[in-house]
Amino acid sequence: MTRIFSGIKPTGHLTLGNYLGALRRWVDVDQHQADALFSVVDLHALTVEHDPARVRRLSRQAATLMLAAGLDPELCTVFVQSHVDEHARLSYLLECTATDGELRRMIQYKEKAAQAQAAGQSVRLSLLTYPVLMAADILAYGTDEVPVGDDQTQHVELTRDLAVRFNQRYGHTFTVPKATHPPVAARVMDLQDPTSKMGKSHEAGAGIVYLLDEADVVRKKIMRAVTDSGRQVEYDRAARPGVANLLEVLAACEGGDPIELAGAYESYGALKKDTAEAVVELLRPVRERHAALAADPGHVDDVLRTGAERARAMARPRVDAAYRAIGLLPA
């Protein structure tokens, strides 16, 4: 079977964007059609200023929501990244394969480094090197496909480059993966700033629908969503980003086409109302299952423990082979 790997970083509460752009496809498609691994990539949360207790809390919440969304431990492997040492072991070898120049060209590094500097914070070295850790996450498992949003495509391309370079220098060790993208709502935008991605680590939450938001909160946020000048409802991502975002969310919730949906509405208000109700109904079962799982933390611990054991068994032989290939003396 095709093997896929993807992960969620516990830097904030999971959002509608996480669900529509990743989680739902993992549940509906990937876990059934592939040998799939899904991880809470907690090591990536350490690249910026953070509260240790909050990282632990959000890691558990993310894992619980992944199960609540419908990931089945009988069909796929669900685990926490830091529970499998092979990620960190392989990351260093890939740092020895990557170059300073290609890491400094990463768009997310430039953006996040600028944000940290503007806030008067130092820029951690791990922020520069975290795409290499992401490459280790992927390559450790012989991954064929990586389902990602558009903003992560550059990192998957780096992963491909590192795999090819390592194989050429030290002998064939890694599968060269490719990025895959869901067809609709791969990048849900902020309701208050439809030119920016709906990010779980944003400080202001007025434009972000969180998976655990109560129904009335969801409705209020969507009804207050920023739209565009004029009154005509049409799908045009460049000229009308606010309306286009709502149409994409509605289409993703109901399985329609945003261009066709635009023709059914004569007012922004009607579009917002239908989008709000569609999102509320989409998230209702996730919230209910999360409540049940949160009440039984021992079950979640068991799933994560079993998942880490399974992931470790997959990764260790390949990482050991990489250690031998690059020239390290066996223990």
Side-chain angles (χ1 to χ4, degrees):
M1 294 179 69
T2 297
R3 179 166 290 176
I4 68 170
F5 175 94
S6 198
I8 286 180
K9 184 164 57 175
T11 51
H13 301 287
L14 299 191
T15 72
L16 177 66
N18 296 127
Y19 185 75
L20 291 178
L23 269 173
R24 188 169 66 169
R25 179 178 174 83
W26 297 356
V27 169
D28 294 345
V29 178
D30 294 333
Q31 69 173 342
H32 299 284
Q33 297 183 359
D35 181 7
L37 298 100
F38 302 111
S39 180
V40 178
V41 287
D42 53 344
L43 294 175
H44 290 291
L46 311 184
T47 61
V48 294
E49 293 292 331
H50 64 276
D51 172 47
R54 186 170 187 266
V55 171
R56 283 190 290 270
R57 185 170 64 251
L58 289 175
S59 296
R60 172 172 288 281
Q61 184 185 89
T64 305
L65 277 168
M66 288 161 70
L67 299 175
L71 289 182
D72 184 347
E74 297 298 320
L75 298 175
C76 64
T77 302
V78 181
F79 68 103
V80 175
Q81 177 193 33
S82 63
H83 294 176
V84 181
D85 293 344
E86 279 61 35
H87 292 254
R89 289 180 62 209
L90 181 56
S91 182
Y92 181 72
L93 298 195
L94 295 179
E95 285 184 12
C96 297
T97 308
T99 68
D100 176 78
E102 57 193 350
L103 292 182
R104 292 188 186 279
R105 286 194 294 272
M106 295 291 109
I107 295 171
Q108 285 206 359
Y109 169 72
K110 293 179 180 179
E111 293 176 347
K112 292 183 178 180
Q115 291 170 2
Q117 290 169 342
Q121 300 172 349
S122 58
V123 179
R124 300 188 180 193
L125 179 61
S126 56
L127 186 62
L128 177 65
T129 60
Y130 100 86
V132 177
L133 176 57
M134 179 176 168
D137 299 338
I138 297 165
L139 297 180
Y141 297 101
T143 303
D144 300 295
E145 297 181 0
V146 189
V148 292
D150 294 338
D151 59 325
Q152 293 291 330
T153 300
Q154 188 184 32
H155 293 160
V156 179
E157 289 302 314
L158 174 68
T159 301
R160 290 170 54 84
D161 291 343
L162 295 180
V164 170
R165 189 178 305 155
F166 192 100
N167 289 346
Q168 290 175 341
R169 289 180 179 175
Y170 309 115
H172 185 79
T173 307
F174 299 119
T175 300
V176 181
K178 66 177 181 179
T180 59
H181 307 279
V184 178
R187 199 174 192 193
V188 178
M189 312 307 279
D190 190 291
L191 297 171
Q192 292 299 312
D193 179 10
T195 62
S196 298
K197 179 183 174 183
M198 184 181 285
K200 58 182 177 295
S201 56
H202 290 183
E203 292 184 5
I208 304 170
V209 174
Y210 297 105
L211 296 189
L212 297 180
D213 277 345
E214 296 290 340
D216 287 345
V217 173
V218 173
R219 293 187 182 98
K220 184 180 295 184
K221 287 180 177 179
I222 294 177
M223 293 304 294
R224 292 178 177 176
V226 168
T227 48
D228 310 290
S229 59
R231 297 182 179 180
Q232 186 175 357
V233 178
E234 60 180 359
Y235 181 73
D236 187 330
R237 169 58 73 183
R240 297 176 179 270
V243 172
N245 189 38
L246 291 171
L247 288 167
E248 286 192 358
V249 169
L250 181 59
C253 289
E254 297 186 343
D257 178 84
I259 298 175
E260 294 178 1
L261 283 173
Y265 292 95
E266 296 182 356
S267 71
Y268 294 160
L271 172 61
K272 287 182 176 181
K273 184 175 184 298
D274 284 359
T275 302
E277 292 308 315
V279 172
V280 166
E281 290 308 310
L282 181 75
L283 299 184
R284 189 188 307 278
V286 177
R287 289 177 52 243
E288 291 173 351
R289 287 195 293 266
H290 176 271
L293 287 165
D296 185 10
H299 172 69
V300 176
D301 288 341
D302 288 342
V303 168
L304 296 178
R305 186 180 305 108
T306 300
E309 291 171 354
R310 190 185 305 164
R312 193 177 302 116
M314 293 183 201
R316 181 164 292 172
R318 186 170 290 100
V319 175
D320 285 349
Y323 267 60
R324 290 193 299 270
I326 205 170
L328 297 178
L329 192 65

